[in-house]
Amino acid sequence: MKEPPKPLHAKVESAYHIIGKKWVNLIIHVLMEGPKRFNELNAIIPVLSKRMLNERLKELEEYDILKRHVIPERPVRTEYTLTEKGKELGDALFHVEAWGMKWF
């Protein structure tokens, strides 16, 4: 059975719920540059613990904001890349970043 569409306030609240989580915006910002492996993300954002990075990546994957790609080479590598939905969010967050750079 298909769910009825969410009312406007629920959609807006869902969007703020996602981007309001600590580290989400910075992870998206870094992935706007292109695909990154877990260790690359961890090196670029060293103040973010591996546990929290893993948690946020899983959440963003559940929201279809990023995709996790397993590359079956030796050793096995995993890369994270933004989906179209994630890229659009990154574009929107760019304006927030510009506002922050101007006013803070």
Side-chain angles (χ1 to χ4, degrees):
M1 179 176 205
K2 190 174 180 181
E3 285 187 43
K6 288 183 178 181
L8 177 62
H9 71 281
K11 290 180 179 186
V12 171
E13 188 63 31
S14 294
Y16 280 116
H17 174 74
I18 294 167
I19 64 174
K21 289 189 173 194
K22 192 167 185 174
W23 305 113
V24 164
N25 300 324
L26 193 52
I27 292 168
I28 292 170
H29 174 87
V30 171
L31 289 175
M32 286 294 284
E33 299 170 1
K36 300 280 186 279
R37 294 189 323 268
F38 183 90
N39 287 336
E40 288 178 299
L41 288 166
N42 189 240
I44 294 168
I45 315 170
V47 295
L48 175 56
S49 72
K50 288 182 179 185
R51 182 189 65 76
M52 182 58 68
L53 175 58
N54 190 47
E55 185 178 314
R56 291 296 179 251
L57 290 172
K58 284 181 180 180
E59 290 171 349
L60 292 171
E61 187 177 14
E62 287 173 12
Y63 289 120
D64 194 35
I65 292 172
L66 62 78
K67 291 259 186 231
R68 180 177 177 262
H69 301 280
V70 178
I71 301 166
E73 296 175 348
R74 292 221 184 256
V76 174
R77 296 181 316 155
T78 304
E79 283 188 341
Y80 297 89
T81 186
L82 292 175
T83 62
E84 284 305 310
K85 183 178 179 180
K87 289 175 187 174
E88 280 191 36
L89 177 56
D91 290 340
L93 292 173
F94 171 79
H95 297 289
V96 176
E97 292 173 17
W99 178 81
M101 295 298 286
K102 179 178 180 180
W103 294 102
F104 296 103

